[in-house]
Each structure stands twice: as C-alpha cells, then as structure tokens.
Amino acid sequence: MDSWNEKCAIVGVFNSNRSAALCYYSLFAMQHRGQESSGISTSNGYDITTLKGEGLVTSVFKYGLEKLVGDASIGHNRYSTAGEDSKCDVQPIFARYSLGQIALAHNGNLVNAEEVRDRLISQGAIFQSHLDTENLIHLIAQSKATKLRDRIIESLSCIKGAYSFVFLSRGKLFAIRDPYGFRPLSLGEINNEDGSKAYIVASETCAFDLINARYIRDINPGEMLIFSHENGVCSYESIQVFKAEPKKCIFEFIYFARPDSFVFNKCVYEIRKNMGIELAKEYKIKADLVIPVPDSGVISAIGYSQESGIPFEFGIVRNHYIGRTFIEPTQSSRELKVRLKLNPIKELIKDKDIIVIDDSIVRGTTSKQIIRILRKAGAKKIHLIIASPQTISPCYYGVDTPDISHLISATKSIEEVRDFINADSLHFLSLDGLYRSIGDEAKDGEGYCKACFDKQYII
Ligand code: SF4
C-alpha cells in the first residue's frame, strides 16, 4: 500500500419509495471511499431486507435491487484491510433482537473494540464477523432500555473511537456522529413526487448531487438525528448525545473526499487549490512546467501554477482501467506497477525543469518510481512538492494506514527522503499553510485532528 485509504462510506434515506435506488446512486457516487464490498438494507415497515456482497456497487446490485422495497434504507461501501475474511465483514449488519429488527452501517474505527468484544464474549456473546461494528449490535441487544433510541445512546457510551453510524429499525432511521466528529456526515432533503419530503444522510455531499438532494447541514459532532413518521408526517428529531471539542479529520481535504464534495461544510476543490497557492508562496522554484501526479495532485498543481505563473501541463497520463492487474512478484515489476497506471508524455517533459505536485508520500516507493519514469522521459530537473505536511504517524480513527515502520517520513529527514526518491528537491506544505488553505476557522488547527502529522492523538 502506498496511499492512505478511507475505510467506508455510509448513506441513509428516509421517506422515499425509491429509498433503495437512492442509496444505490449515493453509494455509486461514494465508490472512492470503499471498493471491497457494498450493501443496502431496506425496511418496508414490517421487515428489513438486506442485499450485500463483495465488489463494486455496480456489480453487487446488478441483480436484485428491485427486491429492496420500502421507504427507508441504509447503505455502506467498505474498504477492507488485507487478511480479513471479507465475506462476513460486509455491511450493513442485520440482527433480530427483543425489540424487533435492526440494521447498522459504520464509517470509522472503534479504538476500544477488543476490550468491549472480550467482555461481551465472556458474557456469552457469539460473534459472526471481525467487525468492531458488531459490538454495537450486542450492546444494543443486551440493554434493558425499552426504546431503541435509549439503547443506542447507552451502547454508544461504552465505545470509544471515530464513528458515523446509520441504524435502521422497522419504522425509524437513526444517524449519529461521534463526539469529536472525526468522520463526516451530512444531511440533505429531496422532494418526493407527491410534494412530501424525503431525507438523506451521507458521508459526502457528492452523493446528494447525483440524486438532486439539497444539502441542509452537517450532522454535529455528538449529535443523533432520528427520522420517523410520527402522526403521519416525516420529520426528524435532534438529540445532542455527547459534547466534546470537535476534531474533524483534516486528511479528508487532502485526499479522501471527492473534490466536488462539501466536507465539514467546506468546498474540497477550493481547499485543494488553496494548498497549491500556499505551496507556491512557501516554495518559489524556477521551472518550465508544473505537472500533477494524476488524479491526486491535479487541483493543487492548478493552484501552484496560477500563483507562480509557471505553465500547468498534464505531463503524466493516468490509465483508469487497471483494476487488479497481475503483477509479477519481482523487484523490477515495481516500475511496471507504476507504469501500468501512469505514463509520462516524453515530448512535454524532455529537457525541461519540472515541478511535480502530489498529495502525500506514504512509503516513498511510488514517488521514487514516478521520478524514475520522469527521468527516463528526459526531465532535466525534478522538484517534488507535496500538498500536505509529512505523514509521520498512522491513523487509528478509521483510515487504513501502514505500520509506522513503513511510513518513510516517520524515520527519515526530508533530505533523506529526497535522496531515497532521487528528486532534485523535495518540499512539503507546512501545517500553517494547510490551516491557511482551510481558512480562518482552522486557525492553529483548532477543531481538526491532524495526528498523522503531529502525533497529537486525542483518544
Ligand atoms: S490521524 Fe490523520 S487520517 Fe486519521 S483522523 Fe486524524 S487527521 Fe484523519
């Protein structure tokens, strides 16, 4: 792995007779947040039906979507980590318990999951998956509270970590963000054909655009929304379950979120472009061209080019169709792996001094190969500029990251990394430059988690 991967996307739709189809389109829009598996659970008021499987959204729901009939649905895209038995870890999770039926989908990571699981197992619980999310189902089933809302709140008080959850019962939909608001979750509304309103919650607002939903607001850290048909009217109730200083994941702006999304109520495209502008102010380098590593470096490269006046060119072309291509397990095949995906345009690059912009460096192996193929293409000087600070520590809050020993910036100085990747110069965006790119609200990084850059872990 030479990139960081968001583990999941979640969606919930309430009060639409197209709820499953709207979930499907939303999951399709959020495919970038998880490609391993996908699932949708739908309630018709009496029963919850689930359709899920491994693969991309289009293949999982190629057949059978018409069986998901009901006006409330939740959905999930999963990015799974290596070595896990993916089949039993596909979400949503469904269970029958003393109050009826429940389905649940989760984006994030629970840091005390093992401790809670061990306790539940010692009390007789039987687990079917490796998912930390399954703890919630057992905690809810064991609670003595008479309302599901109270059972959820009681269960959440036993867990620690990063989470955005959607719960589906036969008659209600619940959406909740953890007290720190690590992972994003937004609320939108849709006009039904009969004039009534449907509601949607989703990890990213790019899901709203595809189904003509209007963004209302973000769900607040520690807030629970409950959607119901009380007295025949669809409405939602807000409960502030927890209060804490927000710590939103700053990496959403750098890499995870789609640039056409609003995340944490901010336009991702604008922030990425600002990062390029800040980089141009921090590093004034003489060069012939600014070239992005596609797609991750494109928007920051536009910002850098506009601020510096150095022409922008797509000097590297990306092949979007590589999928799980067979790679021979030899040293020399590493270059092939990068070449399968990225190919430089020699005529543009030959004899030029170039500035190459990428979003981050994880192990350094991909950057090294990119620089190698650019040198082979005839580049005279290569300055690599990274639109984020150095990633020096792993994430424990719902992002799949390598062990610290594999993070190149955790053990090497900038000069040592430059030497390893064989660039003529290497520069990273400063943390202050990142805050300035986000705007006044992020002054001094307040309100954001940035532990992968400064090791200041909150929980
Ligand atoms: S450690 Fe990094 S990736 Fe993880 S939540 Fe914090 S900012 Fe995001």
Side-chain angles (χ1 to χ4, degrees):
M1 179 217 290
D2 206 20
S3 62
W4 289 30
N5 293 288
E6 181 67 59
K7 276 188 179 166
C8 302
I10 57 169
V11 61
V13 175
F14 195 80
N15 200 41
S16 167
N17 55 18
R18 297 174 56 227
S19 68
L22 296 178
C23 272
Y24 166 81
Y25 291 124
S26 302
L27 292 174
F28 177 80
M30 298 189 291
Q31 187 76 83
H32 60 291
R33 297 180 79 91
Q35 300 91 43
E36 195 71 24
S37 65
S38 193
I40 296 175
S41 293
T42 301
S43 172
N44 60 9
Y46 303 98
D47 278 308
I48 294 175
T49 309
T50 299
L51 178 60
K52 58 185 184 177
E54 291 175 283
L56 298 176
V57 173
T58 45
S59 65
V60 172
F61 301 108
K62 195 168 177 186
Y63 306 105
L65 197 61
E66 69 285 352
K67 290 181 191 150
L68 297 178
V69 178
D71 76 350
S73 294
I74 60 170
H76 187 268
N77 280 345
R78 173 175 160 76
Y79 170 87
S80 99
T81 47
E84 291 177 1
D85 181 352
S86 300
K87 274 193 188 124
C88 34
D89 291 347
V90 182
Q91 297 191 44
I93 307 176
F94 169 79
R96 295 175 202 277
Y97 71 121
S98 59
L99 296 186
Q101 300 176 16
I102 188 170
L104 161 61
H106 171 207
N107 174 25
N109 188 47
L110 306 181
V111 296
N112 66 339
E114 267 184 54
E115 184 189 315
V116 173
R117 178 176 284 233
D118 288 349
R119 179 165 60 77
L120 287 163
I121 289 174
S122 72
Q123 291 165 357
I126 298 168
F127 281 80
Q128 293 185 351
S129 74
H130 305 92
L131 296 172
D132 51 2
T133 317
E134 199 179 346
N135 290 357
L136 252 289
I137 291 282
H138 288 281
L139 290 167
I140 288 167
Q142 283 187 356
S143 167
K144 298 284 177 271
T146 53
K147 287 187 171 174
L148 176 56
R149 179 195 69 180
D150 298 333
R151 287 191 180 207
I152 294 173
I153 293 172
E154 189 185 312
S155 303
L156 291 172
S157 66
C158 302
I159 62 167
K160 287 185 198 144
Y163 54 82
S164 287
F165 282 119
V166 280
F167 296 83
L168 183 67
S169 70
R170 287 177 294 191
K172 290 182 178 169
L173 192 148
F174 302 76
I176 186 155
R177 257 177 100 192
D178 72 64
Y180 299 99
F182 284 106
R183 311 260 63 91
L185 193 61
S186 300
L187 169 68
E189 64 180 9
I190 309 155
N191 288 337
N192 289 326
E193 279 179 5
D194 64 2
S196 63
K197 275 193 175 61
Y199 290 102
I200 174 168
V201 291
S203 299
E204 279 188 40
T205 62
C206 60
F208 296 177
D209 299 336
L210 190 57
I211 59 171
N212 283 325
R214 284 177 305 283
Y215 169 80
I216 300 176
R217 66 176 175 88
D218 279 3
I219 295 167
N220 293 320
E223 181 184 17
M224 175 192 271
L225 293 185
I226 307 170
F227 300 85
S228 63
H229 294 294
E230 297 299 346
N231 306 316
V233 179
C234 173
S235 65
Y236 68 87
E237 170 191 358
S238 161
I239 302 172
Q240 195 66 39
V241 182
F242 303 109
K243 273 227 172 297
E245 171 83 0
K247 293 290 175 194
K248 298 164 281 189
C249 170
I250 211 162
F251 222 95
E252 289 282 348
F253 296 130
I254 295 164
Y255 178 71
F256 305 136
R258 261 177 51 161
D260 51 339
S261 281
F262 266 71
V263 161
F264 308 134
N265 206 10
K266 292 198 164 284
C267 173
V268 176
Y269 183 96
E270 210 171 289
I271 291 173
R272 282 194 194 150
K273 195 167 163 190
N274 289 343
M275 289 171 188
I277 293 170
E278 288 298 328
L279 280 168
K281 288 178 183 165
E282 290 184 2
Y283 306 109
K284 296 185 194 320
I285 296 169
K286 275 192 183 165
D288 300 309
L289 295 175
V290 176
I291 289 174
V293 174
D295 298 326
S296 49
V298 172
I299 301 162
S300 297
I302 292 171
Y304 191 100
S305 168
Q306 288 182 0
E307 180 65 22
S308 66
I310 301 171
F312 170 98
E313 291 284 358
F314 274 106
I316 306 172
V317 174
R318 179 177 166 189
N319 183 342
H320 287 88
Y321 307 101
I322 58 166
R324 286 170 185 253
T325 314
F326 171 73
I327 306 280
E328 297 157 287
T330 61
Q331 189 74 14
S332 60
S333 66
R334 286 205 186 127
E335 183 180 331
L336 173 66
K337 200 170 176 180
V338 173
R339 270 195 181 279
L340 280 168
K341 193 170 167 186
L342 303 173
N343 195 31
I345 301 174
K346 292 190 192 77
E347 290 66 25
L348 267 179
I349 288 167
K350 196 167 179 297
D351 297 329
K352 300 269 174 43
D353 289 353
I354 56 173
I355 291 171
V356 180
I357 310 256
D358 204 354
D359 64 320
S360 57
I361 294 184
V362 182
R363 293 170 188 256
T365 47
T366 300
S367 304
K368 190 182 173 80
Q369 296 302 339
I370 290 171
I371 286 168
R372 178 181 293 187
I373 61 174
L374 289 169
R375 286 207 189 283
K376 274 193 180 174
K380 219 162 54 178
K381 276 194 177 166
I382 303 170
H383 306 280
L384 182 62
I385 305 191
I386 303 298
S388 66
Q390 290 168 277
T391 44
I392 58 168
S393 209
C395 175
Y396 301 104
Y397 307 138
V399 174
D400 189 32
T401 50
D403 182 81
I404 192 160
S405 60
H406 296 297
L407 287 175
I408 192 165
S409 291
T411 51
K412 288 189 189 325
S413 67
I414 294 179
E415 176 53 24
E416 286 168 333
V417 178
R418 185 209 61 73
D419 187 49
F420 173 77
I421 62 175
N422 193 27
D424 290 284
S425 73
L426 171 66
H427 310 277
F428 292 86
L429 181 63
S430 67
L431 260 176
D432 282 339
L434 178 57
Y435 303 152
R436 282 194 295 275
S437 307
I438 296 169
D440 289 347
E441 179 223 285
K443 196 168 176 290
D444 303 324
E446 266 175 42
Y448 287 91
C449 171
K450 48 202 183 305
C452 44
F453 303 128
D454 65 6
K455 292 192 181 177
Q456 301 295 310
Y457 292 100
I458 298 117
I459 42 174

